[in-house]
Amino acid sequence: MSGAEQVAAWRARIPGAFGGTRRGRVLAWLGWAAFLAWLGWALWHFGFAPERLWNGLTGLATILRLMIPPSPGELWVDILQGLAESVAMAFLGTFIAALVALPLGFLGAGNVVTNTLFRFSLRRVFDGFRGVDQLIWALAFVRAVGLGPLAGVLAIATADVAVLAKLNAEAIENAERRQVEGITAAGGGFLARLRFGLLPQVLPVMLAQALYFFESNTRSAAILGVVGAGGIGLQISERIRVRHWDEVAFIILLMVATVAAIDWVSARLRRRLIGGA
Amino acid sequence: METEGSLAFWMYRLDSWAWLLFETANMAALATLMGAGAALLLAFPAARNLGAGRVVNPAVRRLLEAMRTVPEIVFALIFVWAFGVGPLAGVLAIALHTAGACGKLFAESIENTGLGAWAGVRSAGGSWMQACRFAILPQVAPSLLSYALLRFEINLRSASVIGFVGAGGIGEELYKVISFNYYEEISAILLLIILAVCAIDLLSERLRHRVIGAMQ
């Protein structure tokens, strides 16, 4: 067999070793062309013109220059109050959500509720709630209950109930059956099974999740004020509107510090909870 | 003809809303692409195991931290001043936040790779950049891609609300109908957003499983 014949034979046996097929190459080229066309269209459509970008960047540089040094301004009491309000909103919202999500979690768990249709539709409802962002809830509640922290608390609670309930349901489904069977064998009813068979197993997990949500909610509570739902977000959007950039920088730094502090505390608490479980 | 209460009445502006949703999804996609691209460049100096220098490494890490701790909405509020009202400000704000969030995840997955290939390229005379490109990138590419896809899902949600501060997308329309108390329109837009988010979640989950499957 000559060299060329040998190559042809091997090519027939393992085509993959000889580089992509012509069809594959053409498809890859078409894919890249489509991607570049989309990228070009998107950049053009959203107005990524060099001139506009340059103007924006110079504007941004001016803003950054005005941000230094950060200063609390005249109304630093308001800023601290807003910050405290944000943390309180996050705490209350998470607390309410965790409270409501506890029974919902049991309803959504496959080893508690055996009706598949009911469980399936409940899970889809949870998914639907998750698709709506917290800010949308905040805006809706501002229209419903008026400006202020109450709207923020309700928004945080509503947005988190569904996610927490889903996580709780998963934790309950992963719980061990033996304790539940033991309660049944000892003559315990349905509620006794839930209370003494399942709850002690899943409570630390649920608490850890609630803490985790509290952490993430301190971040989101800080921005709910942008739509009027109370907290530090209101202060920051007001100051951006009147272009007091040094105060904006001060508030951002304060927000970052608060979030870091709460993360630290909550991470320690969570480790202790999970470790003790 | 009596149309009140019908589906056609409820969704009477479906065409413009569908276009806005499409625009929102494109904003999220473009922002994810830009943010993940920047994160890819920053992740190599930010990874602790590649020896990027005692000044560069902490500096890049702090930069990424700053980018991800400030919420997108705050970036958007500032960018609306600098770049003007419109989707440009929104895309840049989401991209900046994405770069910070993805950069951390990317750097972590680089830190978890074996350094055998790295040592091989370096000892064959490859530069630092070449070692990043040919030793590290092929190992981490699938996990980076799956993180970026996950981020795309998150960014779609943020892009749907970033219009509240005037940064483009369907959020502007939603803000308008909520402040005018047009209840039917609010529910219609919310339904469309939920459907779009669910559809993209499903699609991206499939893709991610495929990417992770290719990794193993």
Side-chain angles (χ1 to χ4, degrees):
Chain A
M1 221 175 357
S2 75
E5 276 171 7
Q6 246 175 343
V7 169
W10 280 108
R11 192 190 287 275
R13 264 183 73 186
I14 33 171
F18 288 83
T21 56
R22 179 168 298 174
R23 193 159 153 271
R25 271 198 306 252
V26 168
L27 278 181
W29 271 107
L30 282 179
W32 276 107
F35 170 73
L36 286 178
W38 168 77
L39 188 64
W41 174 83
L43 288 175
W44 168 79
H45 182 75
F46 293 132
F48 276 82
E51 190 190 355
R52 201 172 158 201
L53 280 178
W54 179 247
N55 286 342
L57 285 177
T58 45
L60 214 54
T62 316
I63 289 173
L64 277 177
R65 235 189 349 263
L66 289 173
M67 276 185 172
I68 299 166
S71 107
E74 306 270 291
L75 301 165
W76 56 273
V77 178
D78 281 12
I79 295 176
L80 287 183
Q81 229 162 27
L83 201 65
E85 201 172 80
S86 277
V87 176
M89 274 160 56
F91 179 75
L92 255 183
T94 318
F95 188 71
I96 294 173
L99 224 53
V100 179
L102 184 71
L104 281 180
F106 281 106
L107 283 182
N111 51 353
V112 176
V113 175
T114 37
N115 186 338
T116 319
L117 182 68
F118 173 76
R119 208 178 64 234
F120 182 80
S121 30
L122 193 67
R123 288 262 176 126
R124 293 293 85 74
V125 171
F126 291 167
D127 283 348
F129 268 69
R130 207 167 54 105
V132 179
D133 198 273
Q134 231 164 26
L135 266 180
I136 301 180
W137 287 116
L139 198 56
F141 277 118
V142 164
R143 303 299 299 175
V145 301
L147 292 168
L150 178 62
V153 171
L154 289 174
I156 291 173
T158 328
D160 280 0
V161 157
V163 191
L164 267 176
K166 193 183 164 208
L167 291 174
N168 284 352
E170 274 162 15
I172 293 167
E173 281 178 355
N174 287 333
E176 268 196 60
R177 301 176 49 128
R178 287 197 207 135
Q179 282 94 320
V180 184
E181 281 164 4
I183 304 278
T184 317
F190 179 70
L191 283 178
R193 277 204 297 268
L194 293 189
R195 167 67 187 84
F196 298 106
L198 285 172
L199 196 61
Q201 290 190 58
V202 293
L203 200 59
V205 181
M206 287 179 173
L207 269 178
Q209 263 153 8
L211 267 176
Y212 188 70
F213 270 71
F214 173 56
E215 259 176 64
S216 97
N217 281 338
T218 45
R219 289 158 203 263
S220 44
I223 55 168
L224 289 182
V226 171
V227 295
I232 192 83
L234 185 66
Q235 309 283 340
I236 202 169
S237 65
E238 267 177 1
R239 278 166 182 74
I240 288 178
R241 213 159 285 152
V242 293
R243 303 204 213 188
H244 284 179
W245 296 113
D246 50 342
E247 293 173 32
V248 171
F250 181 78
I251 296 180
I252 290 179
L253 288 178
L254 211 58
M255 263 162 60
V256 169
T258 312
V259 165
I262 285 182
D263 275 10
W264 187 74
V265 172
S266 151
R268 289 196 66 162
L269 269 176
R270 262 188 300 140
R271 220 170 296 144
R272 190 168 279 191
L273 273 174
I274 300 266
Chain B
M1 205 171 75
E2 188 60 48
T3 52
E4 183 139 355
S6 75
L7 200 60
F9 180 79
W10 193 33
M11 291 281 174
Y12 77 109
R13 267 164 58 198
L14 185 63
D15 50 344
S16 72
W17 291 333
W19 173 253
L20 276 173
L21 258 181
F22 175 71
E23 204 177 71
T24 309
N26 274 304
M27 277 169 67
L30 189 61
T32 313
L33 188 72
M34 288 166 56
L40 184 66
L41 293 180
L42 292 173
F44 290 103
R48 283 208 187 88
N49 57 345
L50 301 186
R54 215 173 291 168
V55 182
V56 178
N57 179 279
V60 175
R61 292 184 81 85
R62 290 297 93 72
L63 178 71
L64 289 176
E65 239 162 53
M67 289 196 291
R68 74 169 173 272
T69 19
V70 180
E72 295 113 324
I73 292 275
V74 174
F75 278 139
L77 275 169
I78 297 172
F79 285 0
V80 163
W81 271 117
F83 293 94
V85 171
L88 178 65
V91 170
L92 288 176
I94 299 176
L96 201 59
H97 189 78
T98 302
C102 278
K104 182 197 177 204
L105 293 172
F106 287 6
E108 272 169 10
S109 86
I110 290 172
E111 280 166 11
N112 288 331
T113 54
L115 285 180
W118 171 269
V121 172
R122 293 293 277 176
S123 61
S127 67
W128 190 84
M129 299 264 263
Q130 281 170 333
C132 287
R133 163 69 186 83
F134 294 105
I136 303 291
L137 189 63
Q139 293 186 64
V140 294
S143 73
L144 302 198
L145 196 60
S146 106
Y147 280 136
L149 278 171
L150 192 66
R151 195 69 216 177
F152 174 54
E153 291 172 37
I154 299 170
N155 282 348
L156 183 65
R157 289 187 176 80
S158 342
S160 68
V161 295
I162 207 145
F164 286 5
V165 295
I170 197 152
E172 278 176 30
E173 180 76 10
L174 189 60
Y175 192 81
K176 203 162 64 193
V177 296
I178 290 182
S179 33
F180 287 148
N181 283 341
Y182 291 161
Y183 296 110
E184 281 116 2
E185 272 113 327
I186 298 173
S187 64
I189 294 179
L190 281 186
L191 184 74
L192 289 176
I193 291 180
I194 292 175
L195 284 179
V197 166
C198 286
I200 295 228
D201 276 9
L202 275 177
L203 201 75
S204 145
E205 204 181 320
R206 282 246 175 116
L207 270 173
R208 265 188 295 134
H209 280 300
R210 198 179 265 194
V211 167
I212 292 171
M215 194 157 51
Q216 281 149 3

